[in-house]
Amino acid sequence: MTRHYETLFVVKPTLTEEEIRREIDNVKSILTKNGATIAAEFDWGMRKLAYEIEKNPRGYYYVIYYTAPGELIKELERNFRYNEEIIRFLNVKYENKKEIKAWQNLVNKAGAASAKKAEAQEAQQAEETAE
C-alpha cells in the first residue's frame, strides 16, 4: 500500500553547487528505484541552522513530497545514515484524510513556489544573455 510522505534533508554547505545537485539527484534516484512517485520538490537553498551540526553553521535544505510503499523508508534512512554529505534528515508520514489533504496543499504550494523560482531563474538568464 502506498502512503504519502515528506522528506526534508540538509546537505553540507561545504559542497559545490554541482555536488549538492548530485546528492539531491542521488536521493531522488533512491526514491524512484524503490517504487516512489515524486509529487513535488521544494528547494529551500542555503540557510542558517538553529545550531551548528558538525561545526557547520549553515546547510542546504531540500524537501521532497512523494507517495511510496512503507518499506522504502527503511532503505532511504539507511542511505541517509551512510551518506556523510547529508547532515540531517526528517521523514514525515501522512496517514488520515485530514493529514493527506494537508500533504496535498503542501504539494500544491511547493509546485507553485518551484515554478516561480524557475521563472525567476529564466528571466535572470535572459537578462544575462541580453547584456
Side-chain angles (χ1 to χ4, degrees), residues 1-15:
M1 180 177 170
T2 61
R3 300 190 188 276
H4 296 77
Y5 293 99
E6 169 187 349
T7 295
L8 173 129
F9 56 97
V10 182
V11 181
K12 281 185 177 178
T14 55
L15 301 179

Side-chain angles (χ1 to χ4, degrees), residues 41 74 95:
E41 304 167 34
K74 286 183 183 178
E95 293 186 87

Side-chain angles (χ1 to χ4, degrees), residues 38-104:
I38 296 175
E41 304 167 34
F42 187 65
D43 186 346
W44 274 4
M46 196 67 70
R47 293 181 171 256
K48 185 177 185 317
L49 299 170
Y51 54 90
E52 284 190 5
I53 301 172
E54 299 173 10
K55 298 184 181 179
N56 293 308
R58 301 174 62 77
Y60 194 92
Y61 285 71
Y62 202 83
V63 183
I64 302 175
Y65 300 95
Y66 57 96
T67 56
E71 307 84 50
L72 166 74
I73 297 303
K74 286 183 183 178
E75 177 66 17
L76 186 61
E77 288 184 356
R78 184 184 70 78
N79 279 284
F80 280 149
R81 286 191 177 93
Y82 286 126
N83 189 338
E84 293 179 5
E85 308 305 336
I86 295 176
I87 55 178
R88 281 290 184 270
F89 66 91
L90 174 69
N91 291 312
V92 179
K93 178 172 70 172
Y94 295 86
E95 293 186 87
N96 61 38
K97 288 181 183 178
K98 187 176 181 181
E99 290 174 344
I100 291 172
K101 186 176 179 182
W103 178 86
Q104 190 60 52

Side-chain angles (χ1 to χ4, degrees), residues 24-34:
I24 292 168
D25 290 342
N26 182 34
V27 172
K28 291 193 308 191
S29 72
I30 291 168
L31 290 171
T32 54
K33 284 180 187 174
N34 289 289

Side-chain angles (χ1 to χ4, degrees), residues 113-127:
S114 294
K116 199 177 211 181
K117 188 174 183 177
E119 286 176 15
Q121 286 176 343
E122 287 175 15
Q124 183 181 7
Q125 288 175 350
E127 260 182 39

